[in-house]
């Protein structure tokens, strides 16, 4: 979550991690070195690549919805083919955001993987950023040799991302190394609604069941049936946006030192 907050804080590369607000003011972020940031207007995309030497991790963090223009991306829910010529459908706005910068991200990541061959590669993000983290992870394990064995994906408040074929593809490649964290009654994880597009979640869900920190580990199924004992057990009308802003007791990304702009 700290990386997700940092990615949403419009990190200034010249200022190092001093530019990522309260996300980087804690001791567990010491030893993190910023490698690259991107801020693209069309298709909109923001994020960072950092190296955490203490943890031996390369981190790719995607920003959530913090620019007004991002609302256009969020609303572009209708599917685009994930792989050209196939029927695998994925959330169009998020796919466009990832594909607009993925070549540059891949270039930087390959260099860092070569420099630090023992480091794990972490993909992460909150909300929109979580969706883009998952898509980018799948894109990159399909094109970078040796990445799959080093990759881990942590997302927070991620919306439904694609159809059953996409979920099945994702689960085959990354389902056993992905941790999709959901907060008790977060409404965003139930979006887009099934009546609009028939999307489903990929594995593996870590449902924060209450404020005390109890966790249920949920598994979804290839036929798009979501685990009825996890976050999908909460009726949509009982959900609150406050749960989307409450993950692990950390301040939500839109409360960091972000520049809200078009």
């Amino acid at each position: 979550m700290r990386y997700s907050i940092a990615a949403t804080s419009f990190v200034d590369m010249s200022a190092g991690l001093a530019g990522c607000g309260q996300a980087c003011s804690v001791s567990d972020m010491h030893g993190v070195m910023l490698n690259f940031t991107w801020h693209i207007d069309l298709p909109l995309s923001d994020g960072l690549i950092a190296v955490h030497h203490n943890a031996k991790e390369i981190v790719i963090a995607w920003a959530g919805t913090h620019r007004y223009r991002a609302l256009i991306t969020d609303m572009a829910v209708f599917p685009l083919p994930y792989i050209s010529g196939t029927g695998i459908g994925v959330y169009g706005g998020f796919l466009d955001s990832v594909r607009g910068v993925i070549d540059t991200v891949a270039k930087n990541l390959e260099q860092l993987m070569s420099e630090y061959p023992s480091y794990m590669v972490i993909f992460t993000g909150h909300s929109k950023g979580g969706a883009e983290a998952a898509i980018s992870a799948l894109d990159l394990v399909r094109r970078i040799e040796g990445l799959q064995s080093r990759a881990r994906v942590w997302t927070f408040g991620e919306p439904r991302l694609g159809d059953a074929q996409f979920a099945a593809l994702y689960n085959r490649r990354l389902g056993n190394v992905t941790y999709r964290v959901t907060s008790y009654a977060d409404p965003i994880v139930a979006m887009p609604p099934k009546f609009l597009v028939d999307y489903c979640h990929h594995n593996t869900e870590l449902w924060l069941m209450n404020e005390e920190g109890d966790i249920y580990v949920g598994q979804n199924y290839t036929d798009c049936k979501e685990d009825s004992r996890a976050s999908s057990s909460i009726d949509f009308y009982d959900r609150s946006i406050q749960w989307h802003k409450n993950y692990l007791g950390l301040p939500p990304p839109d409360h960091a030192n972000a520049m809200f702009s078009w």
Side-chain angles (χ1 to χ4, degrees):
M1 264 303 284
R2 296 197 195 281
Y3 288 115
S4 301
I5 296 168
T8 308
S9 300
F10 265 56
V11 180
D12 178 358
M13 191 165 184
S14 65
L17 281 171
C20 63
Q22 45 189 306
C24 304
S25 62
V26 295
S27 60
D28 60 1
M29 292 292 281
H30 293 173
V32 178
M33 300 296 294
L34 191 64
N35 170 262
F36 173 69
T37 67
W38 65 91
H39 308 292
I40 299 172
D41 287 337
L42 191 66
L44 183 138
S45 181
D46 301 281
L48 63 84
I49 302 176
V51 180
H52 193 336
H53 292 292
N54 294 348
K56 293 189 175 181
E57 293 174 343
I58 300 165
V59 180
I60 302 171
W62 296 77
T65 303
H66 66 295
R67 286 202 272 169
Y68 301 127
R69 191 194 303 264
L71 296 174
I72 300 173
T73 300
D74 293 345
M75 291 187 291
V77 301
F78 294 103
L80 292 176
Y82 177 69
I83 301 172
S84 180
T86 72
I88 302 173
V90 69
Y91 202 125
F94 299 146
L95 183 65
D96 281 344
S97 290
V98 170
R99 294 286 168 84
V101 73
I102 197 67
D103 289 343
T104 304
V105 172
K107 179 181 178 180
N108 282 270
L109 177 57
E110 287 181 295
Q111 181 177 343
L112 289 172
M113 288 177 62
S114 176
E115 292 179 12
Y116 306 107
S118 64
Y119 285 26
M120 299 300 292
V121 179
I122 310 299
F123 296 85
T124 192
H126 172 269
S127 192
K128 167 182 172 289
E132 292 167 356
I135 294 173
S136 68
L138 185 57
D139 268 8
L140 292 173
V141 298
R142 294 177 60 241
R143 67 189 282 181
I144 299 179
E145 184 177 355
L147 174 57
Q148 182 152 354
S149 63
R150 297 168 63 176
R152 300 291 183 271
V153 185
W154 286 87
T155 73
F156 302 88
E158 177 191 335
R160 294 185 178 113
L161 196 48
D163 62 17
Q165 291 187 76
F166 178 79
L169 173 63
Y170 189 96
N171 288 343
R172 287 196 300 272
R173 298 300 297 264
L174 289 168
N176 63 335
V177 293
T178 294
Y179 308 93
R180 184 173 56 80
V181 183
T182 59
S183 188
Y184 173 69
D186 183 347
I188 302 303
V189 302
M191 298 293 287
K194 291 281 189 178
F195 71 81
L196 185 61
V197 283
D198 193 18
Y199 287 173
C200 54
H201 280 299
H202 55 77
N203 286 328
T204 297
E205 181 179 8
L206 302 182
W207 183 40
L208 305 177
M209 300 170 63
N210 49 46
E211 293 181 344
E212 285 68 46
D214 294 325
I215 298 174
Y216 173 79
V217 180
Q219 298 289 327
N220 299 312
Y221 307 94
T222 54
D223 61 356
C224 236
K225 180 182 177 183
E226 297 178 5
D227 192 327
S228 60
R229 295 164 294 182
S231 62
S232 63
S233 65
I234 305 299
D235 188 87
F236 188 82
Y237 297 101
D238 292 330
R239 296 174 182 268
S240 168
I241 196 64
Q242 293 306 312
W243 287 101
H244 189 58
K245 296 182 175 185
N246 180 19
Y247 276 83
L248 308 177
L250 294 177
D254 61 358
H255 284 185
N257 294 337
M259 292 172 52
F260 289 86
S261 65
W262 177 249

